[in-house]
């Protein structure tokens, strides 16, 4: 485990140079969110922004490694390639969770100070989970793509993934229409109200797991 | 003598390049210079030794253990310096210590900072602002501070000025002093090796052309410069390769003493590694 810790520390040192950007990003996010007319949205929106921000910043470590060709050096360490990939996933997932917690707590404090009322926590958490799902989608598509094609081309894959999902969604919609399958709004609302958090938490966990397995497979075969 | 590294019949195929039957034996307590022109296969061989690239056939043994079965254990005892790769340049020597002390079980923090001070490297400055020589010294300090038994270096002196190169070559000599550790250093700057290498292994076009002690190579091999008429009298089996220049012909001979004896009148010069390399590559039989 120590070697993985070493790799995560390396990534955190690399992100040190992002310190100012992160602070500026949070200030801008806070100003844009807290100046909204509906104060009940502030916590979740701020948390969504910090979650996405932290997740995106953590992906920047790939670019640092690519510039310094660190992969070539790191594979000479006494560790397996699986551990190298695992360290990266721990960092990215950790940054995403940390971003959501920091955003949520700060948002809650500021919101309480301004509104003096406690918001509907479940609703707020559902919105934050939506943010986590969004950044998790980006990360889980991008990480294996970067391992396969490098940082630049890896980003392109994300656009294709979004396009593919849009096409698939449209196809499913028309198939449903043709087969006369309809889901009532009440059913959707019921599922969202009762199971949204757990369903999305599970989907996100499965997405990370599949993405991790694909990345390990790609990286094991990669010539560094 | 016990071998620290044994490479046997290593083959690696790419679409446009191939390592053919590479054999290397590196004994304990020596420096081996691994020479060859750019693209000859030095880096690919080192990458294969580090298992950074999958080989097609052959075996690699280090410290008496098979690499493919004991990779993690073996890598604990190897120090690696790569010309074009290290940790991010946004890390300071202090940061490097904090990272690498988690990587190697035998990491010696005090030894690392002793080298950092000896090499006059600022501890809290990011290495992006270092000169090329300083960057290389940081890589070397990092590579030797877990007291490895084998130091593998890929082109450590390219792009450095003569003073920095000399400093670095001194470090290698210090490193093998205990008689237990060895160095395999790949370079195309052959002059660096003439004073420090005990063995020279020469690779060309993916094949090992020779692997001998430096003394055998520099003391026994010879360069003969002769005219066209003199050249015609020389038996083909008495020289390795010849190079036809504008005004004379240069021959590389394997045993200058035998050659002198046989061809009485010929003057045989002591070769440099560079001359041997150039005639081997550019010459003809």
């Amino acid at each position: 485990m120590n070697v993985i810790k070493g790799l995560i520390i390396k990534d955190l040192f690399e992100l040190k140079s992002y310190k100012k950007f992160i602070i500026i990003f949070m200030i801008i996010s806070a100003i844009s969110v807290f100046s909204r007319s509906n104060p009940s949205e502030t916590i979740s929106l701020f948390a969504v922004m910090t979650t996405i921000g932290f997740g995106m910043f953590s992906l920047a470590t790939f670019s640092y490694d690519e510039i310094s060709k660190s992969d070539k050096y790191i594979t000479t360490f006494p560790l397996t390639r699986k551990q190298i990939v695992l360290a990266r996933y721990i960092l990215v997932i950790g940054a995403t969770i940390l971003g959501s917690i920091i955003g949520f707590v700060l948002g809650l404090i500021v919101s309480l100070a301004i509104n003096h009322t406690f918001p509907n926590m479940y609703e707020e958490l559902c919105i934050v989970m939506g943010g986590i799902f969004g950044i998790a989608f980006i990360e889980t598509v991008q990480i294996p793509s970067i391992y396969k094609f490098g940082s630049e081309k890896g980003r392109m894959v994300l656009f294709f993934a979004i396009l593919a999902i849009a096409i698939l969604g449209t196809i499913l919609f028309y198939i449903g229409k043709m087969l006369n399958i309809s889901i009532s709004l009440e059913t959707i609302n019921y599922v969202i109200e009762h199971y949204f958090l757990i369903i999305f938490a599970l989907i996100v966990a499965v997405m990370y797991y599949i993405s991790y397995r694909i990345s390990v497979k790609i990286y094991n075969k990669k010539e560094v | 003598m016990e071998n620290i590294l044994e490479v046997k019949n290593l083959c690696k195929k790419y679409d446009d390049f191939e390592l053919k039957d590479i054999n290397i034996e590196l004994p304990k307590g020596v420096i081996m210079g691994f020479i060859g022109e750019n693209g000859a296969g030095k880096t690919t061989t080192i990458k294969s030794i580090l298992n950074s690239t999958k080989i097609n056939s052959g075996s690699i043994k280090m410290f008496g253990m098979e690499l493919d079965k004991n990779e993690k254990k073996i890598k604990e005892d190897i120090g690696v310096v790569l010309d074009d790769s290290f940790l991010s340049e946004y890390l300071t020597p202090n940061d490097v210590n904090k990272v690498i002390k988690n990587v190697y079980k035998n990491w010696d923090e005090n030894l690392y900072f002793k080298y950092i001070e000896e090499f006059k490297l600022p501890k809290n400055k990011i290495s992006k602002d270092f000169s090329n020589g300083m960057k290389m010294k940081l890589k070397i300090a990092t590579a030797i501070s877990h007291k490895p038994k084998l130091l593998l270096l890929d082109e450590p002196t390219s792009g450095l000025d003569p003073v920095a190169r000399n400093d670095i070559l001194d470090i290698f000599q210090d490193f093998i002093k205990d008689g237990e550790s060895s160095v395999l250093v790949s370079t195309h700057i052959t002059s660096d090796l003439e004073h420090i290498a005990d063995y020279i292994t020469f690779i060309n076009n993916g094949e090992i052309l020779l692997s001998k002690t430096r003394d055998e190579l520099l003391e026994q091999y010879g360069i003969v410069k002769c005219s066209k008429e003199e050249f015609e009298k020389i038996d083909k089996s008495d020289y390795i390769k010849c190079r036809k220049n504008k005004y004379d012909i240069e021959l590389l001979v394997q045993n200058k003493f035998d050659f002198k004896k046989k061809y009485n009148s010929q003057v045989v010069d002591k070769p440099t590694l560079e001359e041997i390399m150039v005639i081997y590559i550019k010459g003809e039989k």
Side-chain angles (χ1 to χ4, degrees):
Chain A
M1 260 331 252
N2 258 4
V3 191
I4 294 176
K5 187 176 145 195
L7 293 181
I8 295 171
I9 291 172
K10 169 194 79 72
D11 288 339
L12 293 176
F13 279 135
E14 286 172 354
L15 290 174
K16 245 186 349 190
S17 53
Y18 269 88
K19 213 165 50 190
K20 279 181 198 159
F21 286 111
I22 293 173
I23 294 168
I24 293 168
F25 169 80
M26 287 185 68
I27 291 169
I28 292 171
S29 304
I31 293 168
S32 62
V33 170
F34 293 122
S35 60
R36 288 176 70 89
S37 54
N38 184 357
S40 68
E41 292 171 351
T42 52
I43 308 168
S44 48
L45 274 181
F46 186 56
V48 166
M49 286 186 91
T50 51
T51 305
I52 293 172
F54 274 53
M56 293 304 281
F57 284 130
S58 68
L59 285 177
T61 52
F62 277 100
S63 303
Y64 278 100
D65 282 357
E66 204 164 281
I67 293 163
S68 54
K69 296 179 186 166
S70 297
D71 272 10
K72 208 166 144 186
Y73 180 62
I74 289 165
T75 50
T76 70
F77 291 167
L79 44 65
T80 60
R81 291 194 176 201
K82 199 174 167 182
Q83 286 174 306
I84 298 174
V85 176
L86 181 62
R88 197 38 71 69
Y89 273 85
I90 292 174
L91 177 88
V92 167
I93 296 170
T96 306
I97 294 171
L98 188 72
S100 63
I101 293 172
I102 290 177
F104 194 83
V105 172
L106 283 180
L108 185 65
I109 292 168
V110 177
S111 176
L112 281 176
I114 297 170
N115 305 322
H116 308 290
T117 52
F118 217 77
N120 179 338
M121 291 302 267
Y122 183 77
E123 259 177 39
E124 300 292 330
L125 281 171
C126 284
I127 299 171
V128 176
M129 181 48 84
I132 292 177
F133 174 78
I135 187 66
F137 174 74
I138 294 173
E139 290 164 352
T140 51
V141 172
Q142 276 222 307
I143 298 175
S145 317
I146 294 172
Y147 276 123
K148 181 80 181 168
F149 306 108
S151 284
E152 282 304 310
K153 286 183 189 165
R155 283 191 195 108
M156 292 297 292
V157 175
L158 182 67
F159 293 112
F160 289 116
I162 293 168
L163 192 69
I165 287 175
I167 293 169
L168 190 73
T170 313
I171 292 170
L172 285 176
F173 174 76
Y174 281 107
I175 290 174
K177 221 174 164 187
M178 276 163 64
L179 299 175
N180 250 342
I181 301 169
S182 65
I183 304 167
S184 70
L185 267 178
E186 287 84 41
T187 320
I188 295 171
N189 279 340
Y190 179 81
V191 172
I192 288 176
E193 273 170 28
H194 293 85
Y195 304 109
F196 184 89
L197 269 186
I198 187 81
I199 289 173
F200 271 76
L202 277 172
I203 292 173
V204 167
V206 170
M207 273 162 52
Y208 276 124
Y209 180 71
I210 294 171
S211 170
Y212 164 72
R213 293 301 296 261
I214 295 170
S215 294
V216 169
K217 220 170 183 182
I218 293 170
Y219 200 54
N220 269 334
K221 285 184 189 163
K222 195 175 178 179
E223 293 256 339
V224 289
Chain B
M1 212 187 303
E2 206 179 316
N3 287 328
I4 267 198
L5 168 70
E6 280 177 21
V7 178
K8 276 187 188 155
N9 308 319
L10 165 67
C11 293
K12 168 76 189 172
K13 247 184 184 178
Y14 292 103
D15 291 340
D16 53 350
F17 178 75
E18 189 181 351
L19 283 184
K20 296 162 221 155
D21 250 356
I22 302 290
N23 287 289
I24 298 172
E25 287 191 355
L26 177 64
K28 250 186 189 178
V30 303
I31 298 176
M32 178 182 277
F34 192 38
I35 63 169
E37 60 179 338
N38 287 332
K42 301 186 296 291
T43 301
T44 309
T45 306
I46 288 186
K47 274 167 76 178
S48 304
I49 292 171
L50 290 166
N51 211 11
S52 294
T53 185
K54 297 274 172 254
I55 60 174
N56 295 104
S57 61
S59 72
I60 298 161
K61 249 184 177 181
M62 274 178 267
F63 324 118
M65 294 180 280
E66 295 281 349
L67 176 67
D68 49 1
K69 289 176 194 139
N70 304 280
E71 188 177 344
K72 269 169 112 173
K73 207 173 170 196
I74 286 173
K75 284 185 172 175
E76 282 284 354
D77 287 320
I78 306 180
V80 182
V81 174
L82 304 170
D83 169 37
D84 61 346
S85 167
F86 190 58
L87 299 176
S88 163
E89 291 192 337
Y90 288 91
L91 267 62
T92 66
N94 262 340
D95 297 340
V96 171
N97 171 57
K98 283 175 193 155
V99 172
I100 304 292
K101 73 179 182 186
N102 290 292
V103 172
Y104 294 103
K105 286 178 191 153
N106 290 336
W107 180 254
D108 186 338
E109 212 168 335
N110 295 329
L111 184 65
Y112 171 75
F113 283 113
K114 197 190 118 217
Y115 285 125
I116 294 295
E117 271 168 33
E118 210 176 297
F119 300 159
K120 299 185 178 71
L121 300 174
K123 288 181 199 170
N124 286 311
K125 201 172 167 186
I126 57 170
S127 61
K128 196 174 187 287
D129 300 331
F130 287 5
S131 67
N132 284 343
M134 288 162 84
K135 280 179 192 168
M136 187 48 73
K137 284 176 181 171
L138 175 62
K139 289 180 188 181
I140 293 173
T142 312
I144 57 183
S145 295
H146 62 286
K147 299 171 194 153
K149 292 180 199 156
L150 171 63
L151 189 55
L152 282 174
L153 306 109
D154 190 20
E155 302 281 1
T157 53
S158 63
L160 301 185
D161 64 66
V163 179
R165 267 165 45 201
N166 208 54
D167 285 350
I168 283 164
L169 299 176
D170 284 345
I171 301 167
F172 302 160
Q173 280 185 312
D174 267 355
F175 179 75
I176 56 153
K177 252 185 195 166
D178 63 357
E180 290 296 311
S181 314
S182 301
V183 175
L184 177 69
V185 50
S186 93
T187 180
H188 61 273
I189 308 171
T190 51
S191 57
D192 286 344
L193 300 171
E194 262 158 39
H195 304 290
I196 63 150
D198 303 289
Y199 285 79
I200 301 291
T201 296
F202 176 23
I203 187 169
N204 186 43
N205 205 13
E207 274 179 288
I208 301 283
L209 291 188
L210 58 87
S211 189
K212 292 181 185 300
T213 65
R214 179 195 57 184
D215 291 344
E216 200 181 338
L217 210 55
L218 298 183
E219 301 306 326
Q220 284 189 10
Y221 275 57
I223 300 277
V224 180
K225 285 179 182 163
C226 58
S227 64
K228 214 176 169 186
E229 293 74 37
E230 285 169 324
F231 175 67
E232 277 160 10
K233 288 177 201 157
I234 297 169
D235 197 329
K236 265 193 170 185
S237 60
D238 288 330
Y239 64 89
I240 301 167
K241 282 209 170 168
C242 67
R243 192 178 176 212
K244 289 171 184 160
N245 302 319
K246 204 170 179 184
Y247 302 109
D248 62 7
I249 296 169
E250 279 180 306
L251 309 178
L252 178 67
V253 299
Q254 193 160 1
N255 192 317
K256 63 181 171 194
F257 305 106
D258 289 350
F259 190 89
K260 266 184 186 172
K261 223 181 198 176
K262 189 168 173 185
Y263 302 95
N264 241 340
S265 59
Q266 301 287 353
V267 177
V268 186
D269 296 325
K270 184 180 171 175
T272 61
L273 286 175
E274 192 173 315
E275 283 172 322
I276 294 175
M277 199 167 110
V278 171
I279 297 182
Y280 248 116
I281 296 168
K282 296 252 179 187
E284 54 193 70
K285 187 77 189 181

